[in-house]
Amino acid sequence: MLVDLRIQNYALIEKLELRPSALLNIITGETGAGKSIMLGAIGLLLGNRADSRMLFDTDKKCVIEGQFDIRSYQLQDIFESEDLDYDQQCILRREISPAGKSRAFINDTPVTLETLRHIGANLMDIHSQHDTLLLGDTVFQLNLLDLYAGLVPMRGQYSNAYRQYRKQESDLKALEDQVAQANKELDYHSFLLNELEDASLDNEQQDELEQEVKELEHAEEIKFKLTHALQGLSEGEYCAAGALKDAASMLGQIAAYSEPVRELKNRLDSCLIELHDIADEIEAVERRTEGDPARIDELQNRLNILYSLQRKHQVRDVVALLAVRSDLRDKVGSVLNLDKQITRLRREVEASLATITKQAARLSEARRKVFPKFEKELASLLTDLGMPHSRIVVQHQESAPAASGIDVISILFSANKGAQPQTLSKSASGGEFSRLMLCIKYLLADKTALPTIVFDEIDTGISGEIAVKVGRMMQQMAKKHQLITISHLPQMAAAGDAHYFVYKEDRADRTVSRIRELNQEERIQEIAQMISGANPSQHAYQSARELLALRGVEMAG
């Protein structure tokens, strides 16, 4: 339940604090005093959109903070799902800077607005005129019936199964589209793959093939030049080997006389050995160098195949061609495997459809069973609230499985004797809507775990004895739920366990909105003024005391 509410720098509110009772709290005050403003601040605390134009002082930030006692509401799993530390005392805080920047906190941990909404929705339920309008929506009506019938867990199981079914359907559709596209490309990919397979690609080195072609194409020139080189090195009359040998002999004759000469002689000997080695290798290369036109044609054909494939696939070497071939193998192979996947997915979709169909049928049967009880209880409550001839009929149709099941319902209503029940949008006035919504909230009070319910003028369009009965109904609800009710009716004001008065205070510079809890005498004064105006009569005071006495309040005097 809400333990403490603090509002600072919001609209007409400079600073406000409310510590509500755990039971029924009534908030009254003149029109425009700030009751709805306070409700707007609570909405911000629960994640509504912020607007910096609502700041009381545009140079300071707005802070709205609510402390909740949640020890008995089993919210640990919800906090864990949002990765938040759980504490029996939960503090929600919302800050809006003058620049319009909004920040949200739960137990001093920064959170997103989505997280704030998720947690806040489990702490407070604000009923306003918007909810009354929602009552005409068939989806909203179905949600109410599920809550009334205690079918939320069953519906949750169905919804999970339905989401899985829809995902499988989506996966199947995507796979079928993929197959259709792949089949369009299959022939082309198969043609490309066959070309690459026929090329018998391996890890051959293209540069080695190109080098071999060069050698074969210039074999005659290579052989001729190698022969001349060999003549010059070791076989000619004036070859380099003979000259080096003569030089080495000359140095050998004088090596005994000079150490430097001996070293030079040794170096020449090494050169001579190297020269002979080079000559031997030149001779070997020259002997094996032979022109081979057939081999040239073979290599050229191979290279032409590689060049053609590289141009087609826009790559530069054999390694890249091998990668292209591997990719095409995967594409062609995947198309052949997709049919198996589609067959498997179709079986899964059919199985899921059978599952949700059975679950939807059970859910529908459970819903239809509670229709008579819901209609009877709601009509009985409306009778207590001064609508003895009202009729409630739950109209039902079946549809294809959807997110909420196979049921399409519409709550039909008539307030007058002999009138045919019609949809709420056609048959209910504003006051009838309010009473109908209050009765529904009353029926649902024991079905929901929400600890705090806020009513914004739900007593619109009622008065007299009916208002007293509405007050009693709210007192009954408040035994299990903390209620905060904004009202203009004296009967409602007298029903509260605590009574707060919202008023304007005119200062020199501007008007501010304030709130205070009324004591017993102040309550009598306020209720009397609600009965007969600013200057209540003694009869109004007596009526106020009688109204308060109805709820067992001990009065002095």
Side-chain angles (χ1 to χ4, degrees):
M1 68 177 181
L2 179 64
V3 176
D4 185 60
L5 175 67
R6 299 171 189 266
I7 305 171
Q8 181 177 320
N9 199 39
Y10 179 74
L12 295 180
I13 300 173
E14 182 180 30
K15 189 174 183 181
L16 179 149
E17 181 174 6
L18 177 69
R19 298 181 66 84
S21 160
L23 300 173
L24 176 58
N25 299 270
I26 302 296
I27 299 174
T28 64
E30 65 184 44
T31 301
K35 301 185 295 299
S36 296
I37 291 174
M38 186 172 64
L39 202 63
I42 294 175
L44 286 179
L45 190 64
L46 301 181
N48 289 351
R49 288 186 59 186
D51 188 345
S52 62
R53 292 175 296 179
M54 293 299 292
L55 268 59
F56 177 85
D57 184 340
T58 55
D59 294 327
K60 298 179 181 178
K61 69 179 178 181
C62 166
V63 179
I64 303 164
E65 183 175 280
Q67 179 181 348
F68 297 83
D69 185 343
I70 61 173
R71 71 186 70 190
S72 59
Y73 298 114
Q74 307 299 320
L75 301 178
Q76 290 90 334
D77 290 345
I78 293 176
F79 274 75
E80 183 178 347
S81 70
E82 295 290 350
D83 197 23
L84 291 170
D85 292 333
Y86 173 82
D87 195 285
Q88 293 180 348
Q89 298 297 314
C90 175
I91 298 176
L92 306 187
R93 187 168 81 254
R94 185 82 179 274
E95 298 179 357
I96 299 97
S97 71
K101 182 178 180 182
S102 170
R103 297 198 301 167
F105 302 86
I106 297 179
N107 293 336
D108 288 329
T109 299
V111 297
T112 64
L113 279 186
E114 187 60 35
T115 298
L116 186 69
R117 293 187 191 103
H118 186 198
I119 297 297
N122 288 276
L123 302 181
M124 297 187 79
D125 174 26
I126 299 180
H127 171 78
S128 64
Q129 294 301 317
H130 175 66
D131 283 332
T132 301
L133 294 175
L134 273 178
L135 186 55
D137 181 75
T138 56
V139 175
F140 186 73
Q141 293 173 8
L142 186 61
N143 292 339
L144 291 177
L145 273 167
D146 284 344
L147 193 58
Y148 169 80
L151 297 175
V152 174
M154 182 185 291
R155 176 169 170 170
Q157 292 176 356
Y158 167 81
S159 296
N160 290 336
Y162 181 78
R163 281 193 295 271
Q164 181 181 356
Y165 162 71
R166 292 291 294 170
K167 183 181 183 305
Q168 290 172 338
E169 260 198 337
S170 176
D171 291 344
L172 177 59
K173 178 66 167 58
L175 195 58
E176 288 175 338
D177 290 344
Q178 183 182 345
V179 168
Q181 182 62 32
N183 283 331
K184 292 179 183 178
E185 300 171 349
L186 180 60
D187 290 342
Y188 179 59
H189 287 161
S190 297
F191 171 75
L192 294 178
L193 179 60
N194 289 335
E195 270 192 331
L196 291 171
E197 297 286 14
D198 291 343
S200 302
L201 298 174
D202 54 28
N203 288 318
E204 59 192 328
Q205 297 298 316
Q206 184 173 326
D207 54 350
E208 293 180 1
L209 298 179
E210 292 169 341
Q211 182 60 37
E212 185 178 354
V213 168
K214 287 181 182 178
E215 292 178 2
L216 290 171
E217 287 179 338
H218 298 84
E220 185 175 345
E221 180 183 357
I222 292 171
K223 194 173 184 68
F224 175 78
K225 296 294 175 66
L226 287 174
T227 300
H228 278 272
L230 188 61
Q231 288 289 327
L233 287 177
S234 63
E235 295 182 354
E237 183 178 355
Y238 302 104
C239 65
L244 282 176
K245 186 175 181 182
D246 290 343
S249 177
M250 294 296 178
L251 293 178
Q253 295 174 13
I254 59 175
Y257 309 129
S258 171
E259 182 64 27
V261 172
R262 189 163 46 252
E263 290 179 1
L264 290 170
K265 165 68 166 59
N266 292 335
R267 289 172 65 185
L268 271 176
D269 288 341
S270 296
C271 289
L272 191 57
I273 293 171
E274 178 68 15
L275 188 62
H276 283 306
D277 285 343
I278 292 173
D280 290 342
E281 290 186 22
I282 289 174
E283 185 177 8
V285 172
E286 186 273 337
R287 286 177 179 173
R288 65 172 178 264
T289 299
E290 296 291 344
D292 188 346
R295 177 62 175 167
I296 291 175
D297 290 342
E298 177 186 345
L299 292 174
Q300 285 288 14
N301 290 335
R302 181 62 175 168
L303 286 171
N304 288 337
I305 291 173
L306 296 180
Y307 295 152
S308 175
L309 291 173
Q310 287 166 10
R311 284 193 301 272
K312 177 175 287 188
H313 296 284
Q314 298 182 349
V315 296
R316 302 182 65 179
D317 52 37
V318 176
V319 173
L321 282 177
L322 290 172
V324 171
R325 184 183 67 181
S326 177
D327 182 56
L328 287 170
R329 283 174 176 173
D330 291 341
K331 288 179 178 178
V332 172
S334 66
V335 173
L336 302 178
N337 292 327
L338 285 178
D339 288 338
K340 295 180 180 178
Q341 294 182 45
I342 287 177
T343 301
R344 176 181 57 80
L345 263 181
R346 281 176 179 161
R347 286 198 298 265
E348 291 178 0
V349 168
E350 290 170 1
S352 293
L353 179 59
T355 297
I356 66 169
T357 300
K358 291 178 181 178
Q359 290 184 347
R362 287 196 297 268
L363 180 60
S364 179
E365 182 182 4
R367 284 168 171 164
R368 284 182 275 113
K369 282 182 179 178
V370 302
F371 289 172
K373 182 181 178 183
F374 177 79
E375 295 166 350
K376 183 178 179 180
E377 288 193 18
L378 197 51
S380 176
L381 289 173
L382 288 169
T383 297
D384 290 342
L385 295 186
M387 301 171 66
H389 302 298
S390 60
R391 284 183 61 200
I392 297 291
V393 176
V394 180
Q395 188 180 65
H396 172 263
Q397 291 180 328
E398 286 193 6
S399 68
S404 57
I406 57 173
D407 303 296
V408 178
I409 67 127
S410 179
I411 298 177
L412 306 182
F413 170 77
S414 67
N416 302 310
K417 189 175 182 179
Q420 189 69 21
Q422 299 182 34
T423 58
L424 295 176
S425 59
K426 296 180 179 179
S427 60
S429 65
E432 290 167 346
F433 250 134
S434 295
R435 276 181 273 182
L436 183 58
M437 194 65 186
L438 176 60
C439 291
I440 289 175
K441 290 280 184 178
Y442 181 80
L443 286 179
L444 298 181
D446 291 334
K447 313 292 184 181
T448 176
L450 286 174
T452 300
I453 302 175
V454 180
F455 289 112
D456 180 19
E457 300 183 7
I458 198 170
D459 49 19
T460 299
I462 64 174
S463 60
E465 183 61 25
I466 302 303
V468 173
K469 291 182 178 180
V470 169
R472 289 174 181 166
M473 187 179 289
M474 288 195 172
Q475 287 174 339
Q476 188 68 25
M477 291 173 65
K479 291 180 179 180
K480 292 187 178 181
H481 299 269
Q482 180 188 47
L483 263 63
I484 299 174
T485 300
I486 296 174
S487 178
H488 290 290
L489 295 179
Q491 297 90 338
M492 289 293 299
D497 181 67
H499 186 163
Y500 297 89
F501 180 64
V502 178
Y503 60 99
K504 289 180 180 179
E505 182 180 281
D506 292 323
R507 301 194 314 200
D509 55 340
R510 64 182 302 174
T511 299
V512 298
S513 181
R514 299 197 181 281
I515 188 171
R516 72 173 189 272
E517 184 175 3
L518 302 181
N519 59 32
Q520 291 180 359
E521 289 301 322
E522 289 172 333
R523 289 188 74 176
I524 294 173
Q525 175 74 24
E526 168 65 4
I527 293 171
Q529 289 180 342
M530 294 173 74
I531 292 173
S532 64
N535 298 304
S537 64
Q538 288 301 316
H539 178 72
Y541 279 109
Q542 182 59 33
S543 296
R545 291 188 182 94
E546 290 175 358
L547 286 173
L548 286 167
L550 288 175
R551 68 169 309 277
V553 176
E554 182 180 352
M555 300 302 299

